[in-house]
Amino acid sequence: MQFNQINTLSVIQSDIKTINTTCAYCGVGCGVKATVTEVNQRVVTIEGDTEHPANYGRLCSKGSSLGETLSLEGRLLNPMIQGKEVSWTSAVNKIATDFKAIIAKHGRESVAFYVSGQLLTEDYYVANKLMKGYIGTANIDTNSRLCMSSAVAGYKRAFGADSVPASYDDFDHADLVVLVGSNTAWCHPILFQRIKAAKVQRPRLKVVVIDPRETATNEIADLHLPIKAGADVLLFNALLVKLAENSVLDQHYIASYTTNFEGAFAQANKNIGDITTLAARIGVDETALNTFFDWFCQTPKTMTCFSMGVNQSSSGTDKVNAIINCHLATGRVGKEGASPFSLTGQPNAMGGREVGGLANMLAAHMDIENPIHRQRVQRFWQSPVIAEQSGLKAVDLFDAMYEGKIKAVWIMATNPVVSLPNADKVRAALEKCELVVVSDCIANTDTARLADVLLPSLGWGEKDGTVTNSERRISRQRGFLPAPTLAKPDWWALSQVAQAMGFSGFDYQSPAEIFNEHARLSAFENDTVIASGLRDFNISGLAELSATEYDALQPIQWPVLSKEFQGTARLFAQGQFFTPNRLARFVPVTHRHPVNTPSLEYPFVLNTGRIRDQWHTMTRTGLTPRLLQHIGEPYAELHPIDAKKLQISVGDLVVVQSQWGKVIVRAQINEGQQQGAVFVPMHWTSVLSRQGRIGAVVNPVVDPISGQPENKHTPVVVSHFEAAWHGYLLSKEPLTLPECDYSVAIRIENGWRYELAHHQKPQDWIDWASVWLNQPQGERLEYQDIGLGMQRYAWLDEGRLSALAFFGAEVALPPRAWLMSLLNQPLDKLSRRALLSGKPADPNADVGNIICACFGVGQKTIERAVCQQNLKNVAEIGKCLKAGTNCGSCQPELQKILSRLISVAAV
Ligand code: SF4
């Protein structure tokens, strides 16, 4: 087989050049300017793109540190079969031969693809085309199933299509922003900053946060409704009734553009009761509930934004429709400053929806259940077959694999052994599967460890294509670094396998060609009669772009109906929905409790989610020391009353266990957590922690319509972990993760830190530490206090601290920040003398835990500055220390520190 040379470097010149591209992380889709200053060393300066309408130059802590993730450390650079490097020819032939053999023996339903919102639209398009149009099954699903499939299902039920009606620009016009199930400050930081700035500009703008937890987003909340987990449908049904009672229904909009208001209203009205009972059922204060109803009734320009707290639920689709019902009833859809708005998690979740990356969708927003759509797609592709029915959704797909029904899977750009619920079963399913192919840019992930065939993908900065953000804006992600070794675009790998399987229609030479085909399909038979399926997703105006025009494509919101068209900011202000009668549908919905409820055995409710500085399974953000300084270990956040009952203090280790699995994580205590609830971040993997993979604990219950798992509600038991000792290691080099009950690896500026605890003491501390530290050389300093159970060792190599091991019987050990700053540095006399005490001679040398990741400003530095210089607000802290002046993500925490110190001073 001949492989065509792919020119991924069309934009790379020998001179220093700045390339406009798009952030690799969340669904905000911020524009980035990348300036390559040293190609061979992969040194790149990152700035926000001031022209990009998603961010106008701002980047959050994750986006700002993209340049620090570009080294080749940990990259997968060669195709591998069973752990041995092979040529692309061998890898492609093995995949094609094995897929064909398995299909011949067990049928086409025995194979599957599991893809990702990290893929570019062009990669996604080819994967979907190969699976649905050539292999002939719809067993292709995506990790976007875990993220926004309930929003998709809700939009489709109401609007007839997966169409987000609004733009970010609407935040600059809204008078009320309602954030439901969204820690926007941490998960969509640049949108949060935009809303915050809009509030400063227009003080009449009010923000309501609806979330069981008090999060960093509360910084801008005029009202917080800490509802009971799962009470969203009840709340929005009650709001629909209130809207009618207060005569704020938009009768013209309802009559002209919608159907079934009566049905939805009757259902909502069935089970509301009086306001006191209602408030108790929802779990909020009656006055606060009335205030929310009043504000919503009185404010035509209302945006209701929802995210994982709504979507990741066994009634996620109904929650979405309960919200949309209130907007349809008030005509607040697609109008300036007024819409229901799904905040998408991933950078290209929406691009995946456009190409039909979900198992129940066809390409270009067509429906797999619709025979006219199926025939149309097949006719366009001229493909031998077309999938006849929906495929297996993510959780079902891995269950089928566990049961032996799926015998071959190709996983691209995702890590299901970490991110899916009941993740130990997912691991067992992959262990059983005959053929596991994994395409990734990272060599060592929980999922890659189980691959029979590994394919090296291009990473961010190398790959070239398009992504679509939460507001339907298509942006170019451009390559600016050369592809390392044998890494290739995913669309290329898919096309080679398709051709090796004997399929035509995959001789693509560039992403521009694929985008062109994708755009032409969006326009194909899309301008005639609604009955045959007029579709919202139409980018016909981008269908005939030349390669140069594609390279130069500026961010644009679909639909794009002609080449001159400037894109579409809003949809549906004048109706024209994509249902057969062009009317939106009110959907009657009923409040349901989460499927698994707490019991005596599992009395707590586990809620999972993201933290400020990490992305998904940390394969990239986990490489950046400054993103691990804020929160470096997996944790469980508890309410103080629960912590007291369980005799748990901050920093203790706790076991969080469900009937599906368990983790051991660090305790945090926060009054913003509800009693009976515990929050654990989703990010930690088995690569970085021995027992921090929370996906193993999450129940595999899914929404019956969308198939989205209920990640926000798993009954668990929480208990103190009794360790015989606690400790930490510092090392210049990465180490094998020590075999301890609690063991977490944390990348730091000059090396690695390992946090440890175990139920049993080693026979010999120094032997034990030396083995895990790879026998450090040089002078050894040591200190022991047998009575207190303290063991401290440090190794100096030519006067520099090369390794360190501190152990103790108690969880409280010397702070890490100062010691970490000494690693691999020459020690002066004072530092050497103070080393084993763990405390610097100069107290100012200890900066404390890092709060501002952008400028590395620690908590102790901030506290000292506030007290000594009498700083009064966040702006003054910024002026004095720069903290909070770049991305602004840490401003809520700066405010918290400030408030605490001010209240202490007042006492
Ligand atoms: S908000 Fe942050 S992570 Fe999200 S796209 Fe923008 S810079 Fe990237």
Side-chain angles (χ1 to χ4, degrees), residues 23 25-26 28-30 59-60 62-63 189-190:
C23 178
Y25 301 122
C26 85
V28 178
C30 295
L59 293 176
C60 75
K62 296 184 283 288
I190 295 304

Side-chain angles (χ1 to χ4, degrees), residues 469-490:
N469 72 1
S470 293
E471 56 166 356
R472 290 175 281 106
R473 192 177 298 280
I474 298 169
S475 297
R476 288 279 281 108
Q477 214 182 80
R478 295 181 174 91
F480 51 84
L481 286 172
T485 320
L486 291 179
K488 298 283 186 194
D490 292 318

Side-chain angles (χ1 to χ4, degrees), residues 461-528:
E462 298 152 7
K463 57 186 181 178
D464 213 16
T466 53
V467 289
T468 310
N469 72 1
S470 293
E471 56 166 356
R472 290 175 281 106
R473 192 177 298 280
I474 298 169
S475 297
R476 288 279 281 108
Q477 214 182 80
R478 295 181 174 91
F480 51 84
L481 286 172
T485 320
L486 291 179
K488 298 283 186 194
D490 292 318
W491 62 259
W492 181 88
L494 283 154
S495 300
Q496 298 304 321
V497 169
Q499 290 176 49
M501 290 178 80
F503 299 132
S504 58
F506 292 89
D507 53 348
Y508 303 112
Q509 301 300 307
S510 71
E513 260 181 52
I514 301 166
F515 185 82
N516 193 301
E517 182 179 312
H518 162 58
R520 282 190 288 111
L521 176 54
S522 80
F524 188 57
E525 299 174 5
N526 194 10
D527 54 358
T528 50

Side-chain angles (χ1 to χ4, degrees), residues 164-184:
V164 176
S167 293
Y168 299 156
D169 183 51
D170 287 307
F171 295 114
D172 302 333
H173 300 282
D175 294 321
L176 176 64
V177 174
V178 184
L179 300 167
V180 196
S182 165
N183 183 5
T184 320

